[in-house]
Amino acid sequence: NAGVTQTPKFQVLKTGQSMTLQCAQDMNHNSMYWYRQDPGMGLRLIYYSASEGTTDKGEVPNGYNVSRLNKREFSLRLESAAPSQTSVYFCASSATGAGLGYTFGSGTRLTVV
Amino acid sequence: QQQVKQSPQSLIVQKGGISIINCAYENTAFDYFPWYQQFPGKGPALLIAIRPDVSEKKEGRFTISFNKSAKQFSLHIMDSQPGDSATYFCAALYNFNKFYFGSGTKLNVKP
């Protein structure tokens, strides 16, 4: 099925470890996004990529880096994980900007101990 | 500071009743207002959306009411069903590129 695929679905990290969350879409969308979801906070934008070759910071970029590898793939890296980064991470994509809404992946549940 | 404020946090409605979720915003540059529905373990999915030049949009049992002067919009679910039990997020689009989301409302429709 067409859509946004995130890997892994679950991950437990120790404080200070690094990891990369992977996201790929097969809808030929130009724009891709990383959000984190925390209870009572809704979804907060970490980074986004309006088009291949560009990335920009969102509301909560500290502690994260991103790479838009090609039009399909947008990865999120935690260089030195902290317990405050325990969250559910969602990748999303949209055709042109976000005017038609996002398509979200099913999320990665990350726990940092 | 939350750009979009959503209420209530949780809502219990009897089957057949009307569910109402409210959102408010301050930034007049927002120009597109969708609602997303999220089931446990899944990503949010676009439910219905409205642009600020329209005061109401209806799709089946779901209606968005939009009050531009008050900077408020709401989701109404008519004839609520147990299958509607989910978390609902309002959102507002900025600069054609970024959505700001409300904090979410967990809806429980009792049979």
Side-chain angles (χ1 to χ4, degrees), chain A residues 31 33 35 37-45 48-50 57-59 90 94 96-107 109, chain B residues 1-3 6 9 32 34 36 38-39 41-46 49 51 87 89-90 93-104:
Chain A
S31 303
Y33 308 82
Y35 280 85
Q37 184 177 27
D38 303 292
M41 301 292 289
L43 293 115
R44 292 181 293 168
L45 182 63
Y48 68 102
S49 171
K57 294 179 181 179
E59 299 171 77
F90 287 99
S94 64
T96 302
L100 296 178
Y102 292 159
T103 299
F104 280 91
S106 56
R109 185 173 293 275
Chain B
Q1 182 185 356
Q2 196 118 32
Q3 297 264 2
Q6 183 173 346
Q9 267 193 315
Y32 179 71
Y36 283 82
Q38 184 181 29
F39 293 105
K42 303 291 186 183
L46 180 64
R51 298 202 180 273
T87 299
F89 293 95
C90 61
L93 179 64
Y94 177 76
N95 199 29
F96 198 60
N97 240 328
K98 293 183 286 187
F99 278 114
Y100 289 95
F101 285 83
S103 54

Side-chain angles (χ1 to χ4, degrees), chain B residues 6-77:
Chain B
Q6 183 173 346
S7 63
Q9 267 193 315
S10 62
L11 183 60
I12 300 174
V13 173
Q14 291 295 127
K15 178 182 174 182
I18 302 174
S19 304
I20 301 174
I21 305 170
N22 300 300
C23 284
Y25 65 96
E26 287 297 325
N27 191 340
T28 56
F30 291 148
D31 60 4
Y32 179 71
F33 301 89
W35 285 88
Y36 283 82
Q37 180 188 54
Q38 184 181 29
F39 293 105
K42 303 291 186 183
L46 180 64
L47 183 63
I48 186 172
I50 197 167
R51 298 202 180 273
D53 54 346
V54 176
S55 61
E56 186 176 281
K57 184 173 181 180
K58 184 175 180 179
E59 290 184 1
R61 296 184 294 108
F62 300 91
T63 299
I64 300 179
S65 297
F66 188 84
N67 186 329
K68 189 173 182 178
S69 60
K71 291 185 279 188
Q72 295 175 347
F73 58 110
S74 59
L75 176 69
H76 296 236
I77 306 174

